[in-house]
């Protein structure tokens, strides 16, 4: 199943560049400035490289599974959060079906397996949705609204560290930091 639908090696798509940078992080301890195989500075933000480099350092393995561990764990976290949102919005049965159906979609199924930054970004986007859902539609216990807004801001920052900070990320982040401060 997984091998039939997903790229079978790390040379497909942009995986080769991501894995090369993760190897640089782990092998050369370049935790702040990352370089690809050509010696050029990485074009993506650090979080995926930090996490994948930590997996490689902890296990000592430069294998396909170690390059994909962060992505696969992110996919499981996404499915769990989708289940949680489904339960909150529509009940346990709908949450269960949503949690199962999300990774069954062809594009998601492929993205769950790639050694790339996209699934890590998806974790933080879904986390931000969960936080803002608690603030806007399911009012939390008094005094916890600020914590959920802070969680939202943290998810936005981590999303930026996963894939890149665009102008919209900064605007949204500044708006919610302003709300938390008031």
């Amino acid at each position: 199943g997984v091998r039939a639908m997903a790229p079978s090696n790390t040379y497909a798509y942009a995986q080769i560049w991501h894995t090369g940078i993760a190897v640089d992080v782990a092998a050369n301890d370049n935790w702040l400035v990352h370089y690809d195989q050509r010696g050029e500075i990485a074009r993506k933000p650090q979080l995926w490289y930090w996490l994948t480099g930590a997996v490689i350092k902890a296990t000592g393995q430069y294998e396909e599974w170690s390059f994909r561990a962060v992505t696969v764990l992110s996919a499981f976290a996404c499915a769990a959060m989708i289940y949680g949102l489904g339960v909150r919005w529509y009940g346990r049965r709908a949450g269960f079906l949503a949690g199962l159906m999300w990774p069954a979609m062809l594009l998601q199924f492929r993205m769950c397996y790639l050694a790339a930054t996209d699934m890590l970004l998806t974790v933080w986007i879904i986390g931000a949705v969960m936080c803002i859902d608690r603030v806007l539609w399911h009012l939390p216990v008094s005094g916890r609204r600020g914590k959920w807004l802070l969680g939202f801001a943290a998810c936005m920052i981590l999303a930026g560290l996963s894939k890149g900070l665009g102008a919209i990320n900064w605007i949204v982040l500044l708006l919610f930091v302003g709300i938390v401060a008031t």
Side-chain angles (χ1 to χ4, degrees):
V2 172
R3 290 296 256 191
M5 299 301 292
S8 61
N9 62 54
T10 54
Y11 298 105
Y13 305 100
Q15 296 180 99
I16 187 67
W17 304 113
H18 295 303
T19 57
I21 295 166
V23 166
D24 175 61
V25 169
N28 301 322
D29 285 327
N30 288 333
W31 294 93
L32 294 178
V33 179
H34 316 305
Y35 297 94
D36 64 16
Q37 296 90 326
R38 296 174 293 184
E40 296 177 7
I41 294 178
R43 291 173 285 197
K44 298 279 185 186
Q46 299 90 348
L47 189 58
W48 189 87
Y49 305 123
W50 286 339
L51 295 173
T52 304
V55 169
I56 294 168
K57 275 279 215 208
T59 62
Q61 299 291 313
Y62 292 86
E63 302 291 333
E64 285 191 28
W65 72 265
S66 60
F67 297 131
R68 293 187 171 121
V70 171
T71 302
V72 171
L73 292 173
S74 296
F76 281 118
C78 287
M81 288 189 289
I82 288 170
Y83 166 77
L85 283 170
V87 167
R88 180 174 292 288
W89 292 342
Y90 300 108
R92 176 171 255 135
R93 184 175 176 183
F96 181 74
L97 289 173
L100 285 179
M101 299 227 16
W102 176 79
M105 294 184 292
L106 180 61
L107 179 60
Q108 290 305 328
F109 189 75
R110 295 186 85 170
M111 295 308 293
C112 291
Y113 187 73
L114 293 176
T117 59
D118 301 303
M119 195 54 56
L120 189 59
L121 172 67
T122 306
V123 164
W124 306 123
I125 291 172
I126 296 172
V129 169
M130 287 187 76
C131 291
I132 209 67
D133 170 66
R134 293 297 298 232
V135 171
L136 297 178
W137 293 286
H138 301 279
L139 297 176
V141 178
S142 178
R144 292 196 181 162
R145 185 169 192 243
K147 291 179 184 176
W148 285 106
L149 286 171
L150 190 59
F152 174 81
C155 285
M156 292 300 289
I157 290 168
L158 291 168
L161 285 172
S162 298
K163 192 76 172 173
L165 289 174
I168 292 177
N169 289 44
W170 281 108
I171 291 168
V172 170
L173 180 62
L174 291 173
L175 284 173
F176 280 97
V177 167
I179 290 171
V180 170
T182 58

